[in-house]
Amino acid sequence: MTTTHQADAVVDYDEALSRFDPVMGLEVHVELHTNTKMFCGCPTEFGAEPNSQVCPVCLGLPGALPVVNEKAVESAIRIGLALNCEIASWCRFARKNYFYPDMPKNFQTSQYDEPIAFEGYLDVDVDDGSGGTEVFRVEIERAHMEEDTGKSLHIGGATGRIHGADHSLVDYNRAGIPLIEIVTKPLVGAGARAPEVAKAYVAALRELLRALDVSDVKMEQGSMRCDANVSLRAKTGEPTSAEQLAVPLGTRTETKNVNSLRSVERAIRYEISRHAAVLDSGRSILQETRHWHEDTGVTTSGRVKSDADDYRYFPEPDLVPVAPSRELVEALAATLPEPPAERRKRLQNDWGYSDLEMRDVYNAGAAELIEQTVAAGASPAAARKWWLGEPSRRANEEATDLVSYAAGIGFTPATVAELDSLVRSGRLNDSMAREVLSGVLAGEGGPTAVADAKGLELKQDDGALEAAVDVVIAANPDVAAKISDGKVAAAGALIGQVMKAMKGQADAGKARELILAKLQ
Ligand code: ADP
Ligand code: MG
Ligand code: ZN
């Protein structure tokens, strides 16, 4: 069954951008992968039997008292430091009161006006429109600690949503898992690139969190979730001009749980087009949450957004304040990994990739894989070629990322390095190596085993190759004459014929050498 949504009017994106300036705010929730929950000792493993990882604290039973997870606080501080934030020397948790069945306490223990980290930034690379990259600074307002809610399952309806369901079940295993919410300031000055900046920011943040080793950051499993706020204001000049920056912000909508990088970009693009249509018609934007629909590429209205007042925040009386010492903060600062932007520059330099090649590698999520493949002995060029070829195509086809795809079928950096070594040793040529790769991806075994089973091996018989070269030269006197005249590029046509004559069982490089040696 397909879901139907009342179609909203939208304005063509470029047209919307000719009259409006978009402003965004991104809220990213990250589940920490601590062994235990935020305020109790329950385990946090994903996918356990429902309600098997609960206790009186995370079920909110009367009289149960929470205790803060030290590891989670340390992770929060490390995240704050990596985002160039200031770290509070003293801060408290707060109760955010609202009623929902997946939240057994009827309040969420969160932080409100005293976040653990605040006033930071993350620099992200975006396309400068002419093949190079440009840095966009995303200002961070705060990163605060809180706990996750449980999960409702709606049974009996066709869509899995609450509407039309017979009954609902609640799994509290997720209730109390430590979350860090990272909130940006309103991001201005991106203009038409706003959706691209948002995607680049979430990608850079994910890379940073992965490097910090604080979370699984799996958007498809919900361990990283993004809410995208968008508003439009009248366009008065260039996005970064003083007159434009002086225009007051418009009313925002908040699109919830946008769970892939691609959706972040699409959802923001859509909201910009939809806001423009509402504003054009003379109506005003309602401050509300919206739901993103991956299948139809639209958002639909959620609930009218509560103001902070409605949550009746107050300081959590059952927890002591968090007051990290200078020494602790300094010790944690010393554990930070190489900043991803610097790491990227270093790797690009080591590998000799162009900006464009490096961007493709990052877009494909292949940097770590290539690093490990090079460490296993492959050349950087070969590592890039193999990972960005067939495996990336298949990962895309299966709508998953390269790392998960490769892990799922046991395709490792060592496998790629082995394939490369078969090419470098002269056993396989390029087209044979592709055939071997297909076999490996199909689960037929490792590269050497697949090459053995398929009988793939370059004939090392130089006599046969030389004979084929002679035949081809004799059959193409005009091409041969050009090569003799110094038009080396013409050799390509002869190499092709030699390879054909050898039924692909020859080394193209060697054929080229022989042709040039005979004609020059
Ligand atoms: P909420 O409680 O609604 O989630 P938050 O403060 O957590 O509020 O997040 C709001 C997000 O929206 C922040 O990233 C903020 O910078 C951004 N924001 C605030 N006002 C606007 C606006 N007018 N247009 C776009 N984004 C905005
Ligand atoms: Mg928020
Ligand atoms: Zn518990």
Side-chain angles (χ1 to χ4, degrees):
M1 146 155 190
T2 51
T3 40
T4 50
H5 310 297
Q6 202 185 329
D8 281 295
V10 290
V11 171
D12 170 73
Y13 185 74
D14 293 329
E15 209 205 307
L17 264 297
S18 68
R19 279 176 288 120
F20 297 103
D21 179 49
V23 176
M24 303 182 290
L26 298 163
E27 300 170 65
V28 173
H29 286 90
V30 202
E31 266 182 9
L32 298 179
H33 64 197
T34 48
N35 293 327
T36 56
K37 292 186 180 180
M38 189 75 211
F39 303 114
C40 63
C42 289
T44 54
E45 260 136 69
F46 184 77
E49 182 72 13
N51 299 310
S52 63
Q53 300 177 342
V54 292
C55 74
V57 172
C58 55
L59 287 176
L61 301 187
L65 286 174
V67 178
V68 175
N69 182 332
E70 182 181 4
K71 193 85 199 151
V73 174
E74 290 180 1
S75 295
I77 295 173
R78 291 178 73 235
I79 292 170
L81 290 169
L83 290 170
N84 308 291
C85 287
E86 285 181 46
I87 305 300
S89 53
W90 190 92
C91 64
R92 284 177 297 188
F93 285 94
R95 289 190 181 185
K96 181 178 183 180
N97 296 281
Y98 64 98
F99 179 81
Y100 202 75
D102 65 15
M103 208 181 47
K105 299 189 292 191
N106 290 337
F107 63 84
Q108 180 187 29
T109 307
S110 180
Q111 292 195 288
Y112 179 48
D113 50 357
E114 300 170 0
I116 182 93
F118 50 95
E119 296 291 334
Y121 62 85
L122 182 63
D123 284 337
V124 303
D125 282 345
V126 288
D127 202 331
D128 69 359
S130 54
T133 48
E134 192 172 274
V135 171
F136 188 97
R137 177 158 292 188
V138 173
E139 309 264 0
I140 307 289
E141 182 183 300
R142 64 178 195 272
H144 70 244
M145 301 180 281
E146 58 186 33
E147 59 180 335
D148 213 342
T149 58
K151 235 180 192 165
S152 303
L153 267 154
H154 305 295
I155 313 290
T159 59
R161 289 176 192 276
I162 194 163
H163 303 284
D166 312 324
H167 63 280
S168 298
L169 298 172
V170 193
D171 176 6
Y172 290 113
N173 284 350
R174 202 179 67 178
I177 292 205
L179 284 184
I180 304 296
E181 180 175 347
I182 301 160
V183 183
T184 70
K185 298 204 168 163
L187 304 178
V188 298
R193 293 186 306 177
E196 188 204 335
V197 165
K199 181 182 171 193
Y201 165 69
V202 178
L205 188 56
R206 188 174 65 171
E207 190 187 345
L208 181 67
L209 295 164
R210 200 177 274 144
L212 285 164
D213 193 21
V214 290
S215 166
D216 297 339
V217 285
K218 289 194 175 142
M219 293 187 84
E220 68 286 357
Q221 281 186 4
S223 53
M224 180 171 184
R225 316 193 277 268
C226 177
D227 300 338
N229 295 266
V230 176
S231 67
L232 295 185
R233 54 183 175 176
K235 182 166 180 175
T236 58
E238 285 307 304
T240 50
S241 64
E243 5 18 327
Q244 184 63 71
L245 296 178
V247 179
L249 303 187
T251 303
R252 68 185 160 111
T253 52
E254 177 182 352
T255 303
K256 303 295 280 181
N257 291 338
V258 192
N259 285 338
S260 73
L261 289 179
R262 193 167 154 259
S263 309
V264 169
E265 190 169 16
R266 286 174 76 205
I268 291 176
R269 254 185 110 85
Y270 177 83
E271 276 298 281
I272 290 174
S273 289
R274 190 186 66 81
H275 278 217
V278 172
L279 296 172
D280 276 348
S281 73
R283 286 171 296 145
S284 45
I285 297 288
L286 188 64
Q287 183 169 331
E288 61 178 357
T289 63
R290 310 271 308 172
H291 298 294
W292 168 246
H293 302 276
E294 186 66 50
D295 48 352
T296 46
V298 304
T299 64
T300 53
S301 181
R303 63 186 162 91
V304 171
K305 183 76 192 186
S306 308
D307 278 328
D309 298 355
D310 299 337
Y311 290 125
R312 300 167 354 266
Y313 278 103
F314 64 87
E316 168 61 62
D318 287 343
L319 286 165
V320 292
V322 175
S325 67
R326 271 302 110 198
E327 295 76 52
L328 174 65
V329 174
E330 273 162 28
L332 291 171
T335 69
L336 294 187
E338 179 184 13
E342 279 169 34
R343 176 180 139 80
R344 188 187 288 225
K345 277 193 201 99
R346 175 176 61 79
L347 290 176
Q348 181 176 355
N349 206 29
D350 289 353
W351 294 342
Y353 293 173
S354 69
D355 285 356
L356 193 65
E357 286 170 341
M358 199 63 185
R359 188 152 2 118
D360 286 347
V361 163
Y362 268 83
N363 287 343
E368 278 78 32
L369 294 167
I370 290 176
E371 194 178 23
Q372 291 159 20
T373 306
V374 171
S379 75
R384 184 176 63 82
K385 176 175 96 178
W386 295 121
W387 281 111
L388 265 49
E390 196 58 19
S392 287
R393 203 183 57 72
R394 294 194 188 200
N396 254 332
E397 227 168 62
E398 296 181 17
T400 178
D401 63 278
L402 187 58
V403 172
S404 313
Y405 166 75
I409 60 165
F411 184 72
T412 66
T415 318
V416 176
E418 183 181 334
L419 183 67
D420 181 48
S421 78
L422 292 176
V423 175
R424 288 215 269 188
S425 70
R427 171 168 178 181
L428 302 180
N429 66 14
D430 203 63
S431 68
M432 290 169 159
R434 280 175 209 283
E435 200 177 330
V436 167
L437 177 61
S438 297
V440 174
L441 295 177
E444 293 166 18
T448 308
V450 171
D452 287 347
K454 292 186 189 284
L456 289 170
E457 174 138 35
L458 281 176
K459 288 216 176 79
Q460 294 301 339
D461 181 354
D462 288 347
L465 179 61
E466 191 166 352
V469 166
D470 288 338
V471 169
V472 169
I473 287 176
N476 297 277
D478 42 342
V479 183
K482 276 190 199 161
I483 298 169
S484 299
D485 282 350
K487 297 209 175 74
V488 176
L494 300 190
I495 297 168
Q497 292 191 36
V498 170
M499 295 302 286
K500 204 164 158 199
M502 297 292 291
K503 301 200 163 55
Q505 303 270 313
D507 181 339
K510 217 172 233 173
R512 180 186 161 85
E513 268 169 36
L514 274 172
I515 291 167
L516 294 181
K518 282 172 188 287
L519 295 176
Q520 288 191 320

